[in-house]
């Protein structure tokens, strides 16, 4: 049974069979990081697709967090400073990880193992931390979780 969808400000993509939900403050670079991950995945010969950018509709289905896209923005991703571009997309996907801003300084620079994050209401996912502006974000995520893309 599917619950009502909850709209969150995020970007959702799939790499292989792994759903990645980029979540963080406005201006963090969610869309650009997700786009760069999709570009890296294509270069590696992995399946990748956009689910939603800017507005992600989350619902629960059989214990999984499912992401879908509002119809008006299907297949579109905004690359700050460049504009809106069309991407290969899929209508829905299970999300497996939340990709969140990392910290390069202080005691939070090494995030805790097994960190879980509440995305909205009753939606929690394992967290992966990532700094903005890294040149190979997918490589970093795959180093942390080797099954991404499989």
């Amino acid at each position: 049974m599917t619950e009502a969808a909850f709209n969150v400000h995020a970007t959702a993509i799939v790499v292989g069979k792994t759903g990645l939900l980029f979540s963080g403050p406005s201006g963090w670079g969610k869309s650009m990081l997700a786009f760069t991950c999709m570009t890296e995945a294509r270069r590696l010969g992995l399946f990748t697709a956009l689910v939603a950018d800017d507005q992600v509709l989350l619902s629960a289905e059989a214990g999984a967090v499912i992401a879908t896209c509002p119809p008006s923005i299907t297949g579109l991703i905004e690359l700050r400073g460049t504009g809106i571009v069309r991407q290969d997309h899929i209508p829905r996907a299970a999300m497996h990880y939340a990709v969140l801003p990392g910290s390069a300084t202080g005691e939070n620079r090494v995030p805790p193992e097994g960190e879980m994050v509440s995305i909205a209401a009753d939606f929690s996912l394992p967290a992966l931390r990532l700094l903005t502006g890294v040149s190979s974000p997918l490589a970093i995520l795959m180093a942390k979780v080797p099954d991404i893309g499989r």
Side-chain angles (χ1 to χ4, degrees):
M1 184 169 129
T2 303
E3 292 181 15
F6 189 85
N7 193 332
V8 296
H9 180 71
T11 300
I13 66 169
V14 171
V15 175
K17 295 179 181 176
T18 306
L20 300 171
L21 183 72
F22 292 77
S23 182
S26 186
W28 173 55
K30 298 176 285 294
S31 300
M32 191 62 81
L33 285 168
F35 176 80
T36 303
C37 284
M38 289 189 298
T39 300
E40 284 184 79
R42 284 186 201 100
R43 288 183 181 147
L44 292 171
L46 299 172
F47 170 79
T48 188
L50 176 69
V51 179
D53 179 51
D54 192 49
Q55 296 180 52
V56 180
L57 303 175
L58 296 180
S59 59
E61 188 175 306
V65 176
I66 304 297
T68 59
C69 185
S72 62
I73 58 171
T74 299
L76 302 176
I77 187 167
E78 180 186 357
L79 303 179
R80 191 175 297 248
T82 300
I84 298 172
V85 298
R86 187 163 294 283
Q87 288 291 289
D88 291 340
H89 64 279
I90 57 176
R92 57 182 279 142
M95 294 290 105
H96 300 95
Y97 297 97
V99 181
L100 306 169
S103 175
T105 60
E107 49 187 76
N108 293 331
R109 75 177 199 189
V110 178
E113 287 295 319
E115 180 183 14
M116 294 291 289
V117 63
S118 177
I119 300 297
D122 298 323
F123 302 107
S124 294
L125 291 169
L128 298 174
R129 297 285 177 168
L130 193 60
L131 293 175
T132 190
V134 295
S135 60
S136 298
L138 183 60
I140 293 168
L141 295 175
M142 290 173 86
K144 183 72 176 167
V145 183
D147 68 342
I148 289 177
R150 297 174 195 216

